[in-house]
């Protein structure tokens, strides 16, 4: 369907995710500690009349040892489903010139559709949408045995930049490519073709392709191609390193880097935050700058940050 669409107004994954644990506690009095013992799902069903969803076509991260794990798994599933649909429509359809993500905010604590929950917490998909609705978006994907890199530019002018490509295996760089590119306005502009490159992939569980687009020295768009599901991808994880600077009573700046690889970096706190980016891939040598705005902090003290990936935390 994406190759003939002119305007798309329906994009959401029919399952979706529920609200954040903080929201369920504030709005429904559901405490996560009460739903972590054996049989918690029966207690959940008795309270909400909702059974456990078990579809996991995208992420396979449906760990159901507790309600908190289950809610997190649904968020990862929503993130992956939205990535598949939105990146396809945005970057691989030259005819699609309009795309509405209508389920922006949830209509209730247990309402499915929406990437901002009932109490105003941004969910994982919210940050994905921020990236995929930028003026310039880059996408890397496998087309049978070929690797293709395309860009979509809905900005007001042509841009000159540098395309960086990294092929990594077991956390070690195998090959790098660099190309000066001219990014005209339009959808599905082909930047680079790597014919039959997939035949060089020997271990799809540890190899990936990372691409970034740099304009005037700044990375404006990036994407990662895994050759297996996110759940199956497993390599040794390095430490996540972070520096923090406070420059206003509710404004912070973070700089994050990793020694090895992090496949989904997550920034959480004991306060309600709005971030310039979250839930992203981070590779060694790439220092990521994040702006943090504290929206609500009931304690009055500086919030405590937890920065983690799917495999480690600090």
């Amino acid at each position: 369907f994406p190759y003939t669409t002119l305007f798309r107004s329906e994009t959401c994954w029919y399952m979706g995710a529920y609200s954040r644990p903080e929201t369920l506690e504030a709005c429904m009095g559901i405490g996560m500690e009460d739903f972590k013992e054996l049989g918690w799902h029966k207690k959940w069903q008795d309270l909400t009349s909702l059974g456990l969803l078990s579809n996991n076509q995208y992420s396979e991260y449906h760990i159901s040892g507790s309600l908190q794990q289950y809610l997190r798994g649904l968020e990862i599933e929503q993130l992956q489903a939205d990535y598949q649909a939105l990146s396809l429509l945005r970057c691989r359809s030259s005819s699609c010139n309009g795309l509405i993500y209508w389920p922006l905010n949830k209509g209730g604590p247990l309402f499915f559709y929406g990437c901002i929950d009932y109490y105003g917490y941004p969910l994982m998909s919210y940050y994905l949408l921020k990236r995929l609705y930028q003026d310039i978006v880059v996408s890397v994907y496998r087309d049978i045995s070929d690797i293709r890199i395309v860009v979509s530019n809905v900005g007001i002018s042509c841009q000159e930049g540098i395309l960086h490509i990294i092929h990594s295996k077991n956390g070690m760089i195998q090959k790098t490519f660099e190309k000066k590119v001219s990014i005209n306005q339009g959808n599905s502009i082909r930047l680079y073709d790597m014919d039959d490159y997939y035949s060089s992939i020997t271990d799809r569980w540890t190899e990936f392709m990372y691409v970034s687009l740099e304009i005037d020295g700044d990375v404006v768009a990036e994407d990662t191609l895994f050759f297996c599901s996110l759940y199956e991808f497993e390599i040794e994880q390095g430490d996540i390193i972070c520096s923090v600077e406070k420059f206003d009573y509710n404004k912070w700046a973070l700089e994050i880097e990793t020694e090895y690889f992090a496949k989904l970096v997550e920034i959480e706190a004991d306060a309600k935050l709005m971030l310039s980016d979250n839930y992203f891939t981070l590779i060694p040598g790439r220092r990521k700058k994040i702006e943090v705005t504290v929206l609500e902090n009931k304690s009055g003290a500086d919030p405590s940050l937890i920065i983690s990936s799917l495999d480690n935390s600090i």
Side-chain angles (χ1 to χ4, degrees), residues 72 76 79 124 127 131 222 226 230 237-242 254-268 275 277-284 286 288 290 306-314:
R72 178 177 171 80
I76 298 173
L79 177 82
M124 292 183 183
Y127 293 101
R131 294 193 288 271
E222 55 191 335
F226 297 101
L230 191 65
Q237 302 293 300
D239 291 334
I240 299 174
I241 304 165
C242 178
L254 309 179
E255 284 198 359
I256 304 173
E257 56 186 319
T258 180
E259 295 177 340
Y260 212 49
F261 178 79
K263 63 183 177 183
L264 187 64
V265 174
E266 178 180 22
I267 304 167
E268 292 287 332
L275 306 166
D277 202 2
N278 205 354
Y279 309 107
F280 49 83
T281 294
L282 191 61
I283 65 170
R286 168 85 162 95
K288 183 88 170 180
I290 304 292
I306 301 173
I307 302 172
S308 64
S309 71
L310 288 181
D311 304 283
N312 62 352
S313 64
I314 60 173

Side-chain angles (χ1 to χ4, degrees), residues 189-204:
I189 303 165
R190 184 165 291 174
L191 292 183
Y192 202 80
D193 284 340
M194 306 174 74
D195 294 338
D196 199 37
Y197 197 83
Y198 184 64
S199 63
S200 67
I201 304 301
T202 58
D203 186 357
R204 67 186 187 92

Side-chain angles (χ1 to χ4, degrees), residues 8 157 231:
R8 176 66 60 172
S157 63
Y231 182 80

Side-chain angles (χ1 to χ4, degrees), residues 195-252:
D195 294 338
D196 199 37
Y197 197 83
Y198 184 64
S199 63
S200 67
I201 304 301
T202 58
D203 186 357
R204 67 186 187 92
W205 294 276
T206 66
E207 296 185 58
F208 66 92
M209 305 288 292
Y210 168 82
V211 301
S212 62
L213 189 59
E214 184 180 300
I215 297 178
D216 296 331
D218 295 323
V219 174
V220 299
E222 55 191 335
D223 194 22
T224 305
L225 171 63
F226 297 101
F227 299 105
C228 62
S229 71
L230 191 65
Y231 182 80
E232 292 178 304
F233 185 82
E234 290 188 6
I235 61 174
E236 182 181 346
Q237 302 293 300
D239 291 334
I240 299 174
I241 304 165
C242 178
S243 61
V244 183
E245 180 183 0
K246 183 178 181 180
F247 56 90
D248 203 347
Y249 77 98
N250 69 334
K251 299 281 187 181
W252 300 70

